[in-house]
Each structure stands twice: as C-alpha cells, then as structure tokens.
Amino acid sequence: MSCAGAAAAPCLWRLRPGARRSLSAYGRRISVRFRSSGMTLDNINRAAVDRIIRVDHAGEYGANRIYAGQMAVLSRTSVGPVIQKMWDQEKDHLKKFNELMVTFRVRPTVLMPLWNVLGFALGAGTALLGKEGAMACTVAVEESIAHHYNNQIRTLMEEDPEKYEELLQLIKKFRDEELEHHDIGLDHDAELRRSLTMSPGWSLTPGLSDPPVSTSQSAGITGVSHFTRPIFS
C-alpha cells in the first residue's frame, strides 16, 4: 500500500528477461513467467487465479472509495492523518492489482460503477457519525478483506505453494497490512460504535466469491481459521 512498503517488497510481477511473447493480430497470446517461480499463463489454474485477482481488485477498489469518503469528512480532524496513511497503503494495493489485471488479462467486475458511489457513500456516512463511526467501518471492512485473503492463501497453498509462491507472498503481505488497519481502528475507539459491526456474512465484494474451499481447508487442516491472525508468515 505505502511507497515504503512497495520499496521493501520489489515488484514481483516484472517479466523475466527471457520471457516469451508470442503475438498474433487476432487473439493475442502472451506467455508470462515470473522471476523466481514457474507460474505462467499456460500452467496456472486460470479460473482460480482470475477469481482471486478479480475479488481482490474489487475489494481494494471498494476500500479506496470508502477511505476517500472518510477523508472528505474527517481530513481536517485529529484522525485525518491516520486515515490518510491507511488510504495511501490501500492505493498501493489497488495499483498492484491493476497491474495484475493486465498481466493475467482479468476483466474487472461490472459492478465497479456501483461500488464507486456506494463505497464513497459508506465512508462518508460512517465518518459523519464521528471518528468512532469511521473506525468501526474500517474494522468491519478490513476484517472482510482479510477473510478473503485467508481463503485465497488456503486455496493456493493446497494447489501448489511453490508455483504460486510470489502471488502468495503478495497476498500475505497485503493481508497483514489490512490486519494492521483493523487493529488501528480498534485502537481508535471503533468499539464505541459496535452497532456498525457487520454480520459475519457481510462482504465488501457482493456478487463475487473466492475459489471454492475444499473440505480439508474448511476443517482448518491448512492452519487458517475462518478469520484469525495469520498462521502463514
């Protein structure tokens, strides 16, 4: 999300010098290979990766619009710098998923225009309730995003952790930053607005779903619960 975070984790999606590109006038075909893994457009589970990137892109877009709404109301208050710092990280997340959308030729959800308006309205509306309202919204949103990330880690770990190593690293990094935002919200009195807490089934990305979770994953064999602190580091 932040520039510092981006510097600490160099771009994982740069093409190898020897990456092969076979282009034709119709139906362009691109073979992309990451620097240190065997992940290419030809050997990945395209359906699973498409869903992961589309869900994460939508979630990060929605989070950006929520923070934009909060800043429109609270930018000049004492909590403004705190929200701005979290928003800056979310901008970095969205930028990365924008790059992945192009790399893997994933189409964004058709609901983007709706989330553009509703996300901003949710952020501004909760911010009008004060700092506690904005932070309660942040806690609920970041918990939802972290839940999606945990599901995706389960899926990729079970399928082929070596092949998806770089994607896993990125998702784990972003999940940990979302959990930091979650904790910041709690530290800034989100509990005082407990009535804003969303139900367990609430999602920032309605209409989208992560790749299906297997029976072993649901049982917790991979070491990540429905929503918990990260087990994989």
Side-chain angles (χ1 to χ4, degrees):
M1 289 181 171
S2 66
C3 294
C11 180
L12 298 175
W13 316 107
R14 188 176 304 134
L15 293 179
R16 287 180 175 179
R20 172 173 56 85
R21 301 189 181 191
S22 177
L23 305 179
S24 60
Y26 300 97
R28 297 187 175 209
R29 178 184 180 84
I30 304 175
S31 180
V32 178
R33 182 179 294 276
F34 295 131
R35 291 183 305 167
S36 61
S37 74
M39 188 175 172
T40 71
L41 283 177
D42 297 323
N43 68 4
I44 61 174
N45 182 336
R46 289 297 302 276
V49 172
D50 280 5
R51 283 196 297 269
I52 286 173
I53 294 175
R54 183 176 295 108
V55 167
D56 292 348
H57 176 264
E60 297 295 349
Y61 180 81
N64 267 269
R65 296 304 295 154
I66 289 171
Y67 281 119
Q70 291 180 351
M71 285 299 290
V73 177
L74 298 173
S75 61
R76 297 187 179 183
T77 67
S78 61
V79 78
V82 177
I83 297 175
Q84 183 65 59
K85 183 177 180 180
M86 293 189 290
W87 188 16
D88 287 342
Q89 286 188 312
E90 297 293 351
K91 290 177 181 178
D92 187 68
H93 287 192
L94 181 58
K95 178 182 178 182
K96 182 58 64 179
F97 281 112
N98 279 332
E99 294 173 1
L100 293 182
M101 295 282 282
V102 174
T103 299
F104 289 98
R105 297 181 293 182
V106 178
R107 293 182 178 180
T109 172
V110 296
L111 298 176
M112 294 286 283
L114 179 63
W115 292 348
N116 177 39
V117 176
L118 293 183
F120 187 91
L122 177 61
T126 54
L128 287 171
L129 298 174
K131 177 189 73 173
E132 297 83 3
M135 290 301 172
C137 178
T138 293
V139 168
V141 167
E142 301 296 12
E143 182 168 328
S144 173
I145 294 176
H147 170 66
H148 282 297
Y149 281 150
N150 274 340
N151 279 345
Q152 294 163 6
I153 290 170
R154 292 189 190 101
T155 297
L156 296 176
M157 288 290 291
E158 186 168 273
E159 182 153 335
D160 192 331
E162 292 185 4
K163 179 191 297 183
Y164 297 107
E165 177 184 1
E166 294 181 8
L167 183 56
L168 278 165
Q169 289 175 359
L170 185 77
I171 292 175
K172 291 175 185 178
K173 175 181 181 293
F174 286 178
R175 175 203 57 191
D176 292 347
E177 289 173 347
E178 305 295 357
L179 290 174
E180 288 177 8
H181 297 174
H182 175 277
D183 291 347
I184 288 171
L186 293 177
D187 290 342
H188 286 79
D189 302 325
E191 291 294 323
L192 298 180
R193 287 286 183 176
R194 293 181 64 89
S195 60
L196 289 178
T197 302
M198 297 2 179
S199 66
W202 180 84
S203 173
L204 185 62
T205 55
L208 295 177
S209 62
D210 295 313
V213 178
S214 69
T215 302
S216 62
Q217 290 172 324
S218 299
I221 292 177
T222 57
V224 181
S225 66
H226 172 75
F227 176 76
T228 183
R229 287 300 175 202
I231 301 299
F232 300 113
S233 59

Tab-separated table of all heavy atoms in Angstrom, residues 37-96:
chain	number	residue	atom	x	y	z
A	37	SER	N	9.500	-18.077	-9.999
A	37	SER	CA	8.584	-19.211	-9.920
A	37	SER	C	8.269	-19.719	-11.313
A	37	SER	O	8.611	-19.104	-12.306
A	37	SER	CB	7.282	-18.795	-9.212
A	37	SER	OG	6.504	-17.992	-10.078
A	38	GLY	N	7.601	-20.879	-11.366
A	38	GLY	CA	7.227	-21.450	-12.647
A	38	GLY	C	5.840	-21.057	-13.072
A	38	GLY	O	5.203	-21.754	-13.852
A	39	MET	N	5.336	-19.948	-12.574
A	39	MET	CA	3.957	-19.535	-12.830
A	39	MET	C	3.855	-18.815	-14.161
A	39	MET	O	4.435	-17.758	-14.363
A	39	MET	CB	3.495	-18.614	-11.687
A	39	MET	CG	2.034	-18.265	-11.701
A	39	MET	SD	1.618	-17.312	-10.217
A	39	MET	CE	-0.062	-16.832	-10.602
A	40	THR	N	3.119	-19.380	-15.095
A	40	THR	CA	2.898	-18.768	-16.396
A	40	THR	C	1.411	-18.777	-16.698
A	40	THR	O	0.628	-19.473	-16.036
A	40	THR	CB	3.631	-19.526	-17.516
A	40	THR	OG1	2.975	-20.785	-17.736
A	40	THR	CG2	5.099	-19.766	-17.162
A	41	LEU	N	1.018	-18.027	-17.709
A	41	LEU	CA	-0.383	-18.031	-18.106
A	41	LEU	C	-0.818	-19.405	-18.596
A	41	LEU	O	-1.999	-19.727	-18.603
A	41	LEU	CB	-0.617	-16.994	-19.213
A	41	LEU	CG	-0.678	-15.530	-18.762
A	41	LEU	CD1	-0.842	-14.627	-19.975
A	41	LEU	CD2	-1.823	-15.309	-17.791
A	42	ASP	N	0.151	-20.221	-19.012
A	42	ASP	CA	-0.171	-21.519	-19.589
A	42	ASP	C	-0.329	-22.624	-18.550
A	42	ASP	O	-0.996	-23.621	-18.804
A	42	ASP	CB	0.914	-21.938	-20.598
A	42	ASP	CG	0.989	-20.990	-21.784
A	42	ASP	OD1	-0.070	-20.510	-22.216
A	42	ASP	OD2	2.111	-20.718	-22.259
A	43	ASN	N	0.317	-22.478	-17.377
A	43	ASN	CA	0.304	-23.597	-16.442
A	43	ASN	C	-0.425	-23.317	-15.133
A	43	ASN	O	-0.422	-24.149	-14.232
A	43	ASN	CB	1.737	-24.074	-16.132
A	43	ASN	CG	2.529	-23.056	-15.330
A	43	ASN	OD1	2.016	-22.020	-14.926
A	43	ASN	ND2	3.803	-23.354	-15.097
A	44	ILE	N	-1.056	-22.146	-14.992
A	44	ILE	CA	-1.787	-21.853	-13.776
A	44	ILE	C	-3.237	-22.307	-13.896
A	44	ILE	O	-3.718	-22.598	-14.990
A	44	ILE	CB	-1.759	-20.341	-13.460
A	44	ILE	CG1	-2.425	-19.552	-14.584
A	44	ILE	CG2	-0.354	-19.860	-13.186
A	44	ILE	CD1	-2.577	-18.072	-14.290
A	45	ASN	N	-3.897	-22.378	-12.772
A	45	ASN	CA	-5.341	-22.615	-12.749
A	45	ASN	C	-5.993	-21.275	-13.058
A	45	ASN	O	-6.209	-20.449	-12.179
A	45	ASN	CB	-5.757	-23.127	-11.366
A	45	ASN	CG	-7.239	-23.439	-11.282
A	45	ASN	OD1	-8.058	-22.898	-12.036
A	45	ASN	ND2	-7.608	-24.303	-10.346
A	46	ARG	N	-6.312	-21.052	-14.325
A	46	ARG	CA	-6.785	-19.741	-14.755
A	46	ARG	C	-8.068	-19.331	-14.048
A	46	ARG	O	-8.252	-18.166	-13.681
A	46	ARG	CB	-7.003	-19.734	-16.266
A	46	ARG	CG	-5.717	-19.774	-17.087
A	46	ARG	CD	-4.860	-18.538	-16.847
A	46	ARG	NE	-5.552	-17.297	-17.158
A	46	ARG	CZ	-5.626	-16.768	-18.385
A	46	ARG	NH1	-5.050	-17.373	-19.411
A	46	ARG	NH2	-6.257	-15.622	-18.589
A	47	ALA	N	-8.982	-20.277	-13.851
A	47	ALA	CA	-10.256	-19.940	-13.212
A	47	ALA	C	-10.032	-19.445	-11.793
A	47	ALA	O	-10.612	-18.438	-11.368
A	47	ALA	CB	-11.181	-21.154	-13.221
A	48	ALA	N	-9.178	-20.141	-11.041
A	48	ALA	CA	-8.915	-19.761	-9.653
A	48	ALA	C	-8.182	-18.430	-9.571
A	48	ALA	O	-8.533	-17.555	-8.775
A	48	ALA	CB	-8.108	-20.849	-8.951
A	49	VAL	N	-7.154	-18.258	-10.401
A	49	VAL	CA	-6.385	-17.015	-10.382
A	49	VAL	C	-7.237	-15.835	-10.833
A	49	VAL	O	-7.156	-14.735	-10.261
A	49	VAL	CB	-5.123	-17.151	-11.254
A	49	VAL	CG1	-4.417	-15.804	-11.412
A	49	VAL	CG2	-4.161	-18.171	-10.645
A	50	ASP	N	-8.077	-16.037	-11.840
A	50	ASP	CA	-8.977	-14.975	-12.289
A	50	ASP	C	-9.890	-14.523	-11.155
A	50	ASP	O	-10.074	-13.322	-10.928
A	50	ASP	CB	-9.829	-15.452	-13.466
A	50	ASP	CG	-9.078	-15.403	-14.793
A	50	ASP	OD1	-7.878	-15.088	-14.775
A	50	ASP	OD2	-9.695	-15.689	-15.833
A	51	ARG	N	-10.470	-15.489	-10.444
A	51	ARG	CA	-11.384	-15.139	-9.346
A	51	ARG	C	-10.647	-14.400	-8.242
A	51	ARG	O	-11.147	-13.415	-7.689
A	51	ARG	CB	-12.058	-16.396	-8.787
A	51	ARG	CG	-13.176	-16.940	-9.649
A	51	ARG	CD	-14.046	-17.921	-8.877
A	51	ARG	NE	-13.290	-19.098	-8.465
A	51	ARG	CZ	-13.179	-20.215	-9.183
A	51	ARG	NH1	-13.769	-20.287	-10.374
A	51	ARG	NH2	-12.491	-21.243	-8.741
A	52	ILE	N	-9.446	-14.880	-7.905
A	52	ILE	CA	-8.670	-14.248	-6.840
A	52	ILE	C	-8.357	-12.803	-7.184
A	52	ILE	O	-8.571	-11.883	-6.384
A	52	ILE	CB	-7.378	-15.037	-6.580
A	52	ILE	CG1	-7.697	-16.342	-5.832
A	52	ILE	CG2	-6.369	-14.205	-5.778
A	52	ILE	CD1	-6.508	-17.269	-5.676
A	53	ILE	N	-7.855	-12.577	-8.376
A	53	ILE	CA	-7.460	-11.217	-8.762
A	53	ILE	C	-8.678	-10.314	-8.886
A	53	ILE	O	-8.651	-9.150	-8.468
A	53	ILE	CB	-6.654	-11.251	-10.068
A	53	ILE	CG1	-5.314	-11.975	-9.843
A	53	ILE	CG2	-6.405	-9.840	-10.591
A	53	ILE	CD1	-4.494	-12.170	-11.095
A	54	ARG	N	-9.778	-10.833	-9.447
A	54	ARG	CA	-10.983	-10.011	-9.604
A	54	ARG	C	-11.561	-9.631	-8.244
A	54	ARG	O	-11.936	-8.469	-8.016
A	54	ARG	CB	-12.027	-10.757	-10.428
A	54	ARG	CG	-13.289	-9.937	-10.702
A	54	ARG	CD	-14.264	-10.676	-11.601
A	54	ARG	NE	-13.717	-10.885	-12.935
A	54	ARG	CZ	-13.324	-12.052	-13.411
A	54	ARG	NH1	-13.415	-13.146	-12.657
A	54	ARG	NH2	-12.831	-12.168	-14.630
A	55	VAL	N	-11.636	-10.582	-7.318
A	55	VAL	CA	-12.161	-10.299	-5.981
A	55	VAL	C	-11.268	-9.296	-5.258
A	55	VAL	O	-11.757	-8.339	-4.644
A	55	VAL	CB	-12.277	-11.604	-5.162
A	55	VAL	CG1	-12.503	-11.293	-3.687
A	55	VAL	CG2	-13.423	-12.462	-5.689
A	56	ASP	N	-9.950	-9.499	-5.331
A	56	ASP	CA	-9.037	-8.617	-4.609
A	56	ASP	C	-9.027	-7.213	-5.205
A	56	ASP	O	-8.964	-6.213	-4.478
A	56	ASP	CB	-7.625	-9.206	-4.612
A	56	ASP	CG	-7.532	-10.469	-3.773
A	56	ASP	OD1	-8.482	-10.743	-3.025
A	56	ASP	OD2	-6.511	-11.174	-3.875
A	57	HIS	N	-9.085	-7.139	-6.523
A	57	HIS	CA	-9.139	-5.831	-7.172
A	57	HIS	C	-10.405	-5.092	-6.751
A	57	HIS	O	-10.367	-3.897	-6.407
A	57	HIS	CB	-9.097	-6.003	-8.689
A	57	HIS	CG	-9.242	-4.726	-9.449
A	57	HIS	ND1	-10.462	-4.296	-9.946
A	57	HIS	CD2	-8.343	-3.767	-9.799
A	57	HIS	CE1	-10.300	-3.136	-10.556
A	57	HIS	NE2	-9.033	-2.784	-10.483
A	58	ALA	N	-11.529	-5.783	-6.743
A	58	ALA	CA	-12.796	-5.164	-6.357
A	58	ALA	C	-12.770	-4.732	-4.900
A	58	ALA	O	-13.239	-3.635	-4.549
A	58	ALA	CB	-13.955	-6.133	-6.601
A	59	GLY	N	-12.230	-5.589	-4.038
A	59	GLY	CA	-12.161	-5.255	-2.620
A	59	GLY	C	-11.290	-4.050	-2.351
A	59	GLY	O	-11.645	-3.168	-1.561
A	60	GLU	N	-10.125	-4.011	-3.002
A	60	GLU	CA	-9.228	-2.876	-2.795
A	60	GLU	C	-9.810	-1.596	-3.393
A	60	GLU	O	-9.625	-0.502	-2.848
A	60	GLU	CB	-7.853	-3.170	-3.405
A	60	GLU	CG	-7.105	-4.341	-2.767
A	60	GLU	CD	-6.729	-4.086	-1.316
A	60	GLU	OE1	-6.857	-2.931	-0.853
A	60	GLU	OE2	-6.312	-5.031	-0.629
A	61	TYR	N	-10.530	-1.720	-4.500
A	61	TYR	CA	-11.181	-0.547	-5.088
A	61	TYR	C	-12.244	-0.009	-4.133
A	61	TYR	O	-12.337	1.201	-3.893
A	61	TYR	CB	-11.809	-0.912	-6.432
A	61	TYR	CG	-12.501	0.253	-7.105
A	61	TYR	CD1	-11.772	1.194	-7.835
A	61	TYR	CD2	-13.881	0.420	-7.003
A	61	TYR	CE1	-12.404	2.271	-8.444
A	61	TYR	CE2	-14.515	1.493	-7.615
A	61	TYR	CZ	-13.776	2.416	-8.330
A	61	TYR	OH	-14.406	3.481	-8.920
A	62	GLY	N	-13.051	-0.919	-3.591
A	62	GLY	CA	-14.070	-0.511	-2.641
A	62	GLY	C	-13.479	0.139	-1.407
A	62	GLY	O	-13.990	1.155	-0.912
A	63	ALA	N	-12.381	-0.424	-0.898
A	63	ALA	CA	-11.723	0.149	0.279
A	63	ALA	C	-11.202	1.547	-0.016
A	63	ALA	O	-11.301	2.453	0.829
A	63	ALA	CB	-10.580	-0.757	0.730
A	64	ASN	N	-10.660	1.743	-1.207
A	64	ASN	CA	-10.180	3.067	-1.594
A	64	ASN	C	-11.316	4.091	-1.600
A	64	ASN	O	-11.145	5.225	-1.141
A	64	ASN	CB	-9.521	3.008	-2.973
A	64	ASN	CG	-8.027	2.792	-2.896
A	64	ASN	OD1	-7.250	3.743	-2.863
A	64	ASN	ND2	-7.612	1.543	-2.848
A	65	ARG	N	-12.455	3.696	-2.119
A	65	ARG	CA	-13.582	4.627	-2.165
A	65	ARG	C	-14.113	4.931	-0.764
A	65	ARG	O	-14.540	6.054	-0.479
A	65	ARG	CB	-14.699	4.054	-3.049
A	65	ARG	CG	-14.315	3.893	-4.498
A	65	ARG	CD	-13.833	5.220	-5.078
A	65	ARG	NE	-14.915	6.199	-5.102
A	65	ARG	CZ	-14.739	7.515	-5.063
A	65	ARG	NH1	-13.513	8.019	-4.932
A	65	ARG	NH2	-15.776	8.331	-5.099
A	66	ILE	N	-14.082	3.944	0.115
A	66	ILE	CA	-14.514	4.170	1.496
A	66	ILE	C	-13.593	5.161	2.191
A	66	ILE	O	-14.045	6.107	2.853
A	66	ILE	CB	-14.569	2.838	2.268
A	66	ILE	CG1	-15.743	1.994	1.754
A	66	ILE	CG2	-14.698	3.078	3.773
A	66	ILE	CD1	-15.772	0.588	2.289
A	67	TYR	N	-12.285	4.963	2.042
A	67	TYR	CA	-11.338	5.903	2.663
A	67	TYR	C	-11.472	7.297	2.053
A	67	TYR	O	-11.314	8.310	2.750
A	67	TYR	CB	-9.909	5.392	2.518
A	67	TYR	CG	-9.563	4.312	3.520
A	67	TYR	CD1	-9.204	3.037	3.111
A	67	TYR	CD2	-9.589	4.581	4.883
A	67	TYR	CE1	-8.885	2.044	4.031
A	67	TYR	CE2	-9.279	3.592	5.810
A	67	TYR	CZ	-8.930	2.329	5.381
A	67	TYR	OH	-8.626	1.349	6.299
A	68	ALA	N	-11.766	7.368	0.753
A	68	ALA	CA	-11.973	8.673	0.124
A	68	ALA	C	-13.158	9.380	0.762
A	68	ALA	O	-13.114	10.597	1.019
A	68	ALA	CB	-12.198	8.497	-1.380
A	69	GLY	N	-14.231	8.638	1.024
A	69	GLY	CA	-15.397	9.219	1.675
A	69	GLY	C	-15.098	9.670	3.092
A	69	GLY	O	-15.551	10.738	3.535
A	70	GLN	N	-14.327	8.876	3.815
A	70	GLN	CA	-13.963	9.254	5.178
A	70	GLN	C	-13.112	10.515	5.203
A	70	GLN	O	-13.314	11.403	6.039
A	70	GLN	CB	-13.220	8.099	5.855
A	70	GLN	CG	-14.089	6.886	6.138
A	70	GLN	CD	-13.328	5.766	6.805
A	70	GLN	OE1	-12.106	5.815	6.921
A	70	GLN	NE2	-14.039	4.750	7.249
A	71	MET	N	-12.175	10.609	4.268
A	71	MET	CA	-11.305	11.780	4.238
A	71	MET	C	-12.055	13.036	3.830
A	71	MET	O	-11.695	14.151	4.234
A	71	MET	CB	-10.132	11.533	3.295
A	71	MET	CG	-9.070	10.609	3.866
A	71	MET	SD	-8.314	11.259	5.374
A	71	MET	CE	-7.375	12.642	4.692
A	72	ALA	N	-13.101	12.892	3.035
A	72	ALA	CA	-13.902	14.054	2.650
A	72	ALA	C	-14.555	14.699	3.867
A	72	ALA	O	-14.818	15.907	3.875
A	72	ALA	CB	-14.977	13.635	1.647
A	73	VAL	N	-14.780	13.909	4.903
A	73	VAL	CA	-15.429	14.414	6.112
A	73	VAL	C	-14.429	14.711	7.225
A	73	VAL	O	-14.555	15.714	7.940
A	73	VAL	CB	-16.474	13.393	6.618
A	73	VAL	CG1	-17.110	13.861	7.920
A	73	VAL	CG2	-17.537	13.152	5.560
A	74	LEU	N	-13.402	13.854	7.378
A	74	LEU	CA	-12.541	13.915	8.562
A	74	LEU	C	-11.114	14.362	8.276
A	74	LEU	O	-10.256	14.288	9.159
A	74	LEU	CB	-12.505	12.534	9.234
A	74	LEU	CG	-13.840	12.003	9.745
A	74	LEU	CD1	-13.692	10.559	10.226
A	74	LEU	CD2	-14.390	12.883	10.862
A	75	SER	N	-10.827	14.835	7.079
A	75	SER	CA	-9.440	15.148	6.714
A	75	SER	C	-8.794	16.183	7.630
A	75	SER	O	-7.584	16.146	7.862
A	75	SER	CB	-9.363	15.622	5.260
A	75	SER	OG	-10.134	16.810	5.085
A	76	ARG	N	-9.585	17.105	8.170
A	76	ARG	CA	-9.026	18.184	8.990
A	76	ARG	C	-9.174	17.931	10.493
A	76	ARG	O	-8.952	18.830	11.300
A	76	ARG	CB	-9.689	19.512	8.626
A	76	ARG	CG	-9.415	19.927	7.180
A	76	ARG	CD	-9.928	21.319	6.885
A	76	ARG	NE	-9.637	21.718	5.526
A	76	ARG	CZ	-9.932	22.919	5.005
A	76	ARG	NH1	-10.545	23.824	5.764
A	76	ARG	NH2	-9.632	23.195	3.754
A	77	THR	N	-9.521	16.705	10.833
A	77	THR	CA	-9.637	16.363	12.246
A	77	THR	C	-8.364	15.669	12.713
A	77	THR	O	-7.465	15.385	11.915
A	77	THR	CB	-10.838	15.440	12.487
A	77	THR	OG1	-10.578	14.163	11.864
A	77	THR	CG2	-12.105	16.030	11.879
A	78	SER	N	-8.303	15.356	13.997
A	78	SER	CA	-7.109	14.718	14.551
A	78	SER	C	-6.865	13.331	13.971
A	78	SER	O	-5.720	12.853	13.933
A	78	SER	CB	-7.247	14.615	16.075
A	78	SER	OG	-8.382	13.822	16.424
A	79	VAL	N	-7.931	12.673	13.505
A	79	VAL	CA	-7.784	11.325	12.968
A	79	VAL	C	-7.491	11.346	11.473
A	79	VAL	O	-7.193	10.297	10.886
A	79	VAL	CB	-9.062	10.506	13.257
A	79	VAL	CG1	-10.188	10.848	12.291
A	79	VAL	CG2	-8.778	9.015	13.232
A	80	GLY	N	-7.518	12.528	10.844
A	80	GLY	CA	-7.269	12.628	9.417
A	80	GLY	C	-5.967	12.003	8.967
A	80	GLY	O	-5.942	11.207	8.017
A	81	PRO	N	-4.819	12.313	9.615
A	81	PRO	CA	-3.539	11.718	9.196
A	81	PRO	C	-3.522	10.198	9.312
A	81	PRO	O	-2.870	9.513	8.523
A	81	PRO	CB	-2.534	12.365	10.154
A	81	PRO	CG	-3.164	13.658	10.552
A	81	PRO	CD	-4.637	13.365	10.636
A	82	VAL	N	-4.230	9.662	10.307
A	82	VAL	CA	-4.288	8.204	10.477
A	82	VAL	C	-5.021	7.569	9.302
A	82	VAL	O	-4.567	6.571	8.723
A	82	VAL	CB	-4.990	7.849	11.803
A	82	VAL	CG1	-5.116	6.331	11.948
A	82	VAL	CG2	-4.228	8.442	12.986
A	83	ILE	N	-6.160	8.140	8.938
A	83	ILE	CA	-6.925	7.617	7.804
A	83	ILE	C	-6.138	7.778	6.510
A	83	ILE	O	-6.126	6.879	5.659
A	83	ILE	CB	-8.285	8.341	7.698
A	83	ILE	CG1	-9.121	8.058	8.945
A	83	ILE	CG2	-9.037	7.894	6.442
A	83	ILE	CD1	-10.435	8.823	8.996
A	84	GLN	N	-5.457	8.913	6.348
A	84	GLN	CA	-4.680	9.142	5.129
A	84	GLN	C	-3.575	8.103	4.965
A	84	GLN	O	-3.336	7.611	3.858
A	84	GLN	CB	-4.061	10.543	5.155
A	84	GLN	CG	-3.291	10.902	3.889
A	84	GLN	CD	-4.184	10.976	2.666
A	84	GLN	OE1	-5.134	11.759	2.637
A	84	GLN	NE2	-3.893	10.178	1.649
A	85	LYS	N	-2.924	7.754	6.071
A	85	LYS	CA	-1.852	6.749	5.994
A	85	LYS	C	-2.401	5.397	5.554
A	85	LYS	O	-1.802	4.710	4.717
A	85	LYS	CB	-1.156	6.620	7.350
A	85	LYS	CG	0.019	5.659	7.342
A	85	LYS	CD	0.721	5.617	8.685
A	85	LYS	CE	1.895	4.650	8.668
A	85	LYS	NZ	2.589	4.607	9.985
A	86	MET	N	-3.538	5.013	6.100
A	86	MET	CA	-4.142	3.744	5.687
A	86	MET	C	-4.590	3.809	4.232
A	86	MET	O	-4.439	2.832	3.481
A	86	MET	CB	-5.323	3.405	6.611
A	86	MET	CG	-4.914	3.106	8.044
A	86	MET	SD	-6.269	2.454	9.067
A	86	MET	CE	-7.318	3.905	9.231
A	87	TRP	N	-5.135	4.945	3.834
A	87	TRP	CA	-5.582	5.109	2.449
A	87	TRP	C	-4.409	5.019	1.484
A	87	TRP	O	-4.516	4.425	0.403
A	87	TRP	CB	-6.308	6.446	2.293
A	87	TRP	CG	-6.982	6.641	0.966
A	87	TRP	CD1	-7.273	5.684	0.038
A	87	TRP	CD2	-7.451	7.879	0.422
A	87	TRP	NE1	-7.894	6.230	-1.054
A	87	TRP	CE2	-8.026	7.586	-0.845
A	87	TRP	CE3	-7.454	9.194	0.876
A	87	TRP	CZ2	-8.571	8.568	-1.658
A	87	TRP	CZ3	-8.017	10.174	0.068
A	87	TRP	CH2	-8.558	9.859	-1.182
A	88	ASP	N	-3.272	5.600	1.856
A	88	ASP	CA	-2.094	5.524	0.993
A	88	ASP	C	-1.677	4.075	0.756
A	88	ASP	O	-1.279	3.704	-0.359
A	88	ASP	CB	-0.929	6.301	1.620
A	88	ASP	CG	-1.129	7.809	1.542
A	88	ASP	OD1	-1.952	8.259	0.729
A	88	ASP	OD2	-0.450	8.530	2.303
A	89	GLN	N	-1.778	3.259	1.785
A	89	GLN	CA	-1.456	1.841	1.613
A	89	GLN	C	-2.468	1.164	0.707
A	89	GLN	O	-2.115	0.330	-0.127
A	89	GLN	CB	-1.393	1.143	2.969
A	89	GLN	CG	-0.147	1.490	3.772
A	89	GLN	CD	-0.016	0.631	5.013
A	89	GLN	OE1	-0.967	0.478	5.768
A	89	GLN	NE2	1.159	0.084	5.230
A	90	GLU	N	-3.741	1.514	0.863
A	90	GLU	CA	-4.769	0.929	0.003
A	90	GLU	C	-4.555	1.323	-1.460
A	90	GLU	O	-4.822	0.541	-2.372
A	90	GLU	CB	-6.163	1.373	0.453
A	90	GLU	CG	-6.570	0.933	1.846
A	90	GLU	CD	-6.751	-0.566	1.963
A	90	GLU	OE1	-6.729	-1.272	0.938
A	90	GLU	OE2	-6.919	-1.039	3.098
A	91	LYS	N	-4.087	2.535	-1.684
A	91	LYS	CA	-3.794	2.963	-3.055
A	91	LYS	C	-2.707	2.090	-3.668
A	91	LYS	O	-2.771	1.739	-4.851
A	91	LYS	CB	-3.352	4.425	-3.065
A	91	LYS	CG	-4.457	5.426	-2.755
A	91	LYS	CD	-3.892	6.853	-2.710
A	91	LYS	CE	-4.969	7.871	-2.367
A	91	LYS	NZ	-4.408	9.248	-2.265
A	92	ASP	N	-1.717	1.736	-2.869
A	92	ASP	CA	-0.640	0.882	-3.369
A	92	ASP	C	-1.163	-0.519	-3.675
A	92	ASP	O	-0.786	-1.128	-4.672
A	92	ASP	CB	0.495	0.819	-2.346
A	92	ASP	CG	1.713	0.088	-2.882
A	92	ASP	OD1	2.367	0.603	-3.800
A	92	ASP	OD2	2.003	-1.024	-2.385
A	93	HIS	N	-2.060	-1.022	-2.820
A	93	HIS	CA	-2.679	-2.333	-3.077
A	93	HIS	C	-3.437	-2.311	-4.401
A	93	HIS	O	-3.315	-3.219	-5.211
A	93	HIS	CB	-3.661	-2.683	-1.953
A	93	HIS	CG	-3.007	-3.071	-0.673
A	93	HIS	ND1	-3.693	-3.642	0.377
A	93	HIS	CD2	-1.727	-2.952	-0.256
A	93	HIS	CE1	-2.863	-3.873	1.376
A	93	HIS	NE2	-1.669	-3.459	1.015
A	94	LEU	N	-4.241	-1.282	-4.587
A	94	LEU	CA	-5.048	-1.194	-5.805
A	94	LEU	C	-4.162	-1.083	-7.034
A	94	LEU	O	-4.443	-1.701	-8.071
A	94	LEU	CB	-5.990	0.012	-5.724
A	94	LEU	CG	-6.915	0.217	-6.924
A	94	LEU	CD1	-7.801	-0.999	-7.160
A	94	LEU	CD2	-7.769	1.471	-6.723
A	95	LYS	N	-3.096	-0.313	-6.929
A	95	LYS	CA	-2.177	-0.180	-8.057
A	95	LYS	C	-1.600	-1.535	-8.451
A	95	LYS	O	-1.504	-1.876	-9.640
A	95	LYS	CB	-1.043	0.779	-7.702
A	95	LYS	CG	-0.016	0.948	-8.804
A	95	LYS	CD	1.112	1.889	-8.372
A	95	LYS	CE	2.174	2.010	-9.463
A	95	LYS	NZ	3.299	2.902	-9.028
A	96	LYS	N	-1.234	-2.336	-7.466
A	96	LYS	CA	-0.664	-3.655	-7.758
A	96	LYS	C	-1.691	-4.560	-8.425
A	96	LYS	O	-1.372	-5.268	-9.396
A	96	LYS	CB	-0.154	-4.296	-6.469
A	96	LYS	CG	0.510	-5.648	-6.670
A	96	LYS	CD	1.683	-5.569	-7.631
A	96	LYS	CE	2.787	-4.682	-7.065
A	96	LYS	NZ	3.945	-4.636	-8.008
